Amino acid sequence: MEDVLKIGPYQFHSRLLLGTGKFADLETQSQAVAVSEAEVLTFAIRRLDLDNPHAANFLEQLDLKKFTLLPNTAGAYTADEAVRIARLAKASGLCDMIKVEVIGDQRTLLPDPIGTLEASRRLVEEGFIVLTYTNDDPILAKRLQEAGVHAIMPGASPIGSGQGILNETNLRFIIEDARVPVIVDAGIGSPADCAKAMELGADGVLLNTAVAQAEHPVLMAEAMKLAVQAGRKGFLAGRIPKKRYASASSPLEGMIE
Ligand SMILES: CC(=O)[C@@H](O)[C@H](O)COP(=O)(O)O
């Protein structure tokens, strides 16, 4: 059976979602995006000049017809702001999917759980396909599901920190309880972090800084793609349980003759 990522009415073959910011130049961005084989690209609506669709912008090097755009509400500090930004994106015909991001604090850029829940609920009611960036809090993840979001995006660690997965236990709880896709978003530092997230059973990974600011962004984009694929296959294959003691790899009993 085909292994596809389903988010609302959308289906994707790639489980790596990519952010488009922070690249040194547009040529590198475009090459990294191509090599990553990502189908979903996210970008901050606030960075676009919505009044002037012909103005130069950071997406201009990309053939946007090839991708599903996931505008995000980065820069919103309240539910009202996030809802306003999402409506602007929809009115500009960018997409009906929205990544809800309501930040609670400038230093950590961690999500404001109350504003995040409120904005998500309102945008679901308005008919958006809502993917919510959230704390790695299993209870909040449950509440978001109850509110009807289409995907939960728990942070691995603070945005841009590259610290990787800080709370594996919480992530496991979120994944166990989820009836919608779980996409680990933010804080990924290396391919190993991607593989780990996928092996834990995440449905996808969204990242930006680790590729855009790598020494060789295009090479890193490829590494991230392969890590997501490897982690997914590892999850589907079912890892062996960890044991306390050794067991010989070439046992004498029960050998195939
Ligand atoms: C681009 C975007 O949406 C970021 O806010 C996202 O959370 C990625 O975080 P990293 O840059 O840490 O990968």
Side-chain angles (χ1 to χ4, degrees), residues 3-49:
D3 182 36
V4 291
L5 168 61
K6 293 184 186 162
I7 303 176
Y10 294 95
Q11 292 200 1
F12 305 106
H13 291 92
S14 167
R15 291 174 181 270
L16 174 60
L17 294 76
L18 213 57
T20 51
K22 294 185 180 171
F23 284 89
D25 56 77
L26 295 182
E27 181 55 33
T28 308
Q29 179 206 54
S30 146
Q31 285 179 28
V33 168
V35 163
S36 76
E37 292 178 18
E39 294 167 276
V40 178
L41 301 180
T42 189
F43 58 94
I45 297 155
R46 286 210 156 163
R47 293 181 63 209
L48 285 180
D49 183 355

Side-chain angles (χ1 to χ4, degrees), residues 18-22 42-44 70 72 74 99 101 133 157-162 185-189 206-211:
L18 213 57
T20 51
K22 294 185 180 171
T42 189
F43 58 94
L70 176 60
N72 66 59
K99 176 182 152 185
E101 210 176 301
Y133 167 60
S157 51
I159 294 174
S161 72
D185 173 11
I188 294 291
L206 189 152
L207 60 90
N208 189 160
T209 309
V211 165

Side-chain angles (χ1 to χ4, degrees), residues 233-253:
K233 284 185 198 291
F235 170 71
L236 293 174
R239 60 153 295 147
I240 57 165
K242 290 185 184 177
K243 289 183 194 151
R244 193 169 165 81
Y245 296 106
S247 65
S249 299
S250 308
L252 297 177
E253 285 164 25

Side-chain angles (χ1 to χ4, degrees), residues 108-173:
T108 62
L109 294 181
L110 289 172
D112 173 341
I114 296 162
T116 296
L117 182 57
E118 187 189 328
S120 300
R121 188 177 286 136
R122 283 166 60 184
L123 290 169
V124 167
E125 281 167 10
E126 291 190 20
F128 283 86
I129 308 298
V130 176
L131 292 78
T132 301
Y133 167 60
T134 169
N135 302 290
D136 57 2
D137 174 350
I139 308 304
L140 180 57
K142 257 191 209 168
R143 297 289 169 265
L144 287 165
Q145 273 199 116
E146 287 160 10
V149 303
H150 301 83
I152 302 166
M153 307 178 89
S157 51
I159 294 174
S161 72
Q163 293 180 45
I165 297 171
L166 294 183
N167 195 334
E168 196 178 310
T169 305
N170 273 15
L171 212 47
R172 279 183 197 276
F173 288 150

